Each structure stands twice: as structure tokens, then as C-alpha cells.
Amino acid sequence: MKIVFLDRLTLANNIKLSRPQFPHQWYEYPSSTSQQVLERANDADIIIVNKVQLNRQLLEQLPQLKMIAVAATGTNNVDLHAAKELNIVVSNVRDYASQSIAEHSLALMFNLRRNLLAYHQAIQHGRWQESQQFCFFDYPIDNLAGQTLLVIGAGNLGQATAELASNIGMKVIFAEHKNKQPRPGRVDFNQALSCADVISIHCPLTPQTQDLIDEPEFLLMKKNALLINTARGGIVNEQALLQALQNKQIAGAASDVSESEPPKADSPLLQAMHLNNFIMSPHIGWASQQNMQMLADQVIGNIDAFAAGQTRHQVFPD
């Protein structure tokens, strides 16, 4: 079998990527544009991708393709309906990033709630050096313990974040789907937004969650609310977020994701970078060394299982 990894740079170079256990030809490329996919994978049996877009038009021109091994959990870069019609198995990686995402989410919450970025920038501008005493109190510092954390998305990532938050004394609630009657253990979406001190997003990007947080939702939030998005760009409307921060509708926000990755020069998130209550990280919440290795091992495991006729972690269209 011919296996082609189209965007190897989506894993750090020091992450060991073992080879499948069956006879095969292996090719890998640092990154690939849509135009390069046909040239590089025209006779591939298996493609490994993380972010490369595989639409119907491309898939229909890859007659030998039998499997797409997605090196991530999200599969919105693959036309799943087309893959199913063309008898192409799509497998993803699951349950590998919960600890890393949970720690990253909590790190962002701590940073914002204790105003570490604001203090760091103040010191850069000489504020501490000019102080008349041993410290200064220009920005409020609050404990996360005792505050209400709203988790949007109750899968492994949301549950792991909720558990870590509970362990430091936060009160955790889970939101029901927007415009749905709350199930046991869930809180009405709008009501949850209005009572949360911190909101952490862990749901997938779907047509239903596109712009899930927009201007009306920001108006429901507390003035002291923090918004943390380690899920997907597009779930939070970026222009609305910028306006909410500029107008001090919320206390702060952090985003590990962008609607376009890498972000475009005119991205509202980049425009917010000068604010001392906004933190942006480059989609690395999942990327602890331990979790990246788990991902790499699971990708190869999925391929070995497929070759043995025991398809694992197959993804189906909605």
C-alpha cells in the first residue's frame, strides 16, 4: 500500500511517528496545498491529513484511495458524505488531548483572572520600577475558586476541563444546546451565559455552532466574565468578540484558535492583541509532548487496524 502524509509539520519534528506493520510505501510532505494533493496522492491507498482540505472534487479524482487517516479529532476538512459515497473510510484520533486542553484552558483562566498579562506589560513600561512601595495594585486580582465555570461541550475535553476546575474549587455547570429544552444536568443556554463568571468552549464547529457566541450572547454575559475558546475558530464571532473587549462588555478573553489558521492580517483577533485582557495562542492547547505522541501512535494504530480489516475510530457523516 502507498501511504502519503500530506502535512507532517502539523506534528512537532521531535514526535516519533512509527511506521505501519504491513508492507507499504511511505511518503510524507511538510505541507500540501489543495493543488498539490492530486500530484502527491493520485495513486495513494491511504492519506494522512490534519488540516489539508479534501473536498468532493478532489476525492473523486483519487480512485485508488481507500482510507483517510485524520491526525486530529475534528474532521471538518474532509467531505464525509463524498467519502462515504466513494467507499473511503475516514478515521480520526480520539480521547488523546483532554489533559493538555484542560490544563491550557485553566492556564488561560488563571492568567486572565489574575491579570498577569496586564502586570507584565506594566512592568515592561516601567511601572514597578517607579513604584513607591514593594508592589502595586493597578489591576484587580481574583481567585478562580468559588467562581462559576460554564462549560460548553460535554465531551471528553469539556469533562476534563470541568474536573480540573472543580478540583480548585470552581462551581461547574454545563450548557444545554442553544434553543433546546434543558436535559437533566444541563442549564438553559442563555441562562447559563448570564450567570457564568468564566465560559470555556469545548464543542465542535458545525453549522449549528457557527457564531454560537455573537453580539446577543455577549450582551447576556456578566461584566466580569471571561471567555476561553480552545475549540474551533468560528464558534465565537471574532468581530463581536473584539467589540465586546473594546467596549468592556466582558472582563477578558483568550483564544487558542482562529477562524482562519493562520489568521489573516485583518483578523479581529490580531487587532485585539494590543489589549491587556486578551490572550491568543497559536492552536497549541492540545500540543503537549505527551499528547502529541499519543496522537501519532493512534494514527498509525488506526491504519494498522484498517489494513487488518478491523476499522477503528471510523467517522460517518451526520
Side-chain angles (χ1 to χ4, degrees), residues 16-30:
K16 178 177 168 44
L17 194 63
S18 60
R19 297 294 184 262
Q21 298 177 7
F22 55 89
H24 66 277
Q25 298 172 289
W26 180 277
Y27 300 86
E28 63 181 51
Y29 301 91

Side-chain angles (χ1 to χ4, degrees), residues 144-155:
L144 286 174
Q147 297 198 353
T148 297
L149 171 65
L150 166 61
V151 177
I152 298 176

Side-chain angles (χ1 to χ4, degrees), residues 160-214:
T161 302
E163 181 179 359
L164 207 56
S166 295
N167 289 341
I168 64 165
M170 297 188 79
K171 176 187 175 183
V172 179
I173 60 176
F174 287 90
E176 183 52 86
H177 292 299
K178 200 171 186 177
N179 300 319
K180 298 291 185 181
Q181 190 70 22
R183 291 165 286 175
R186 305 288 182 95
V187 179
D188 174 79
F189 186 81
N190 288 349
Q191 180 184 346
L193 287 179
S194 65
C195 72
D197 299 298
V198 184
I199 300 159
S200 193
I201 300 174
H202 300 282
C203 61
L205 176 64
T206 67
Q208 290 72 39
T209 61
Q210 179 76 40
D211 290 335
L212 183 71
I213 306 295
D214 206 337

Side-chain angles (χ1 to χ4, degrees), residues 208-227:
Q208 290 72 39
T209 61
Q210 179 76 40
D211 290 335
L212 183 71
I213 306 295
D214 206 337
E215 288 185 34
E217 287 68 40
F218 282 112
L219 291 173
L220 293 172
M221 296 179 192
K222 292 181 175 181
K223 294 290 186 184
N224 77 319
L226 301 177
L227 177 65

Side-chain angles (χ1 to χ4, degrees), residues 4 8 48 73 93 136-137 176 201 224 238 270 295 314:
V4 180
R8 175 63 175 83
I48 304 173
T73 299
V93 179
F136 61 98
F137 310 108
E176 183 52 86
I201 300 174
N224 77 319
E238 296 178 353
L270 294 182
L295 178 148
Q314 185 170 359

Side-chain angles (χ1 to χ4, degrees), residues 54-162:
L54 298 175
N55 58 30
R56 177 181 293 273
Q57 182 181 5
L58 273 176
L59 295 178
E60 287 176 343
Q61 297 179 75
L62 301 173
Q64 194 165 315
L65 187 61
K66 303 175 182 68
M67 180 193 188
I68 300 169
V70 180
T73 299
T75 57
N76 51 296
N77 58 315
V78 179
D79 188 327
L80 297 177
H81 291 281
K84 181 179 180 181
E85 292 173 18
L86 295 167
N87 294 316
I88 301 169
V89 170
V90 180
S91 291
N92 69 347
V93 179
R94 303 178 189 180
D95 306 340
Y96 73 96
S98 56
Q99 184 66 29
S100 187
I101 289 288
E103 290 190 17
H104 196 75
S105 299
L106 266 291
L108 294 171
M109 294 178 205
F110 276 120
N111 198 316
L112 288 168
R113 193 52 94 204
R114 304 191 71 82
N115 265 310
L116 297 183
L117 180 59
Y119 278 107
H120 180 83
Q121 292 178 351
I123 295 170
Q124 286 181 314
H125 290 97
R127 175 69 177 89
W128 197 11
Q129 301 87 311
E130 298 166 357
S131 177
Q132 299 301 307
Q133 59 173 358
F134 74 99
C135 64
F136 61 98
F137 310 108
D138 291 6
Y139 307 99
I141 297 171
D142 291 315
N143 293 334
L144 286 174
Q147 297 198 353
T148 297
L149 171 65
L150 166 61
V151 177
I152 298 176
N156 281 344
L157 303 180
Q159 294 288 349
T161 302

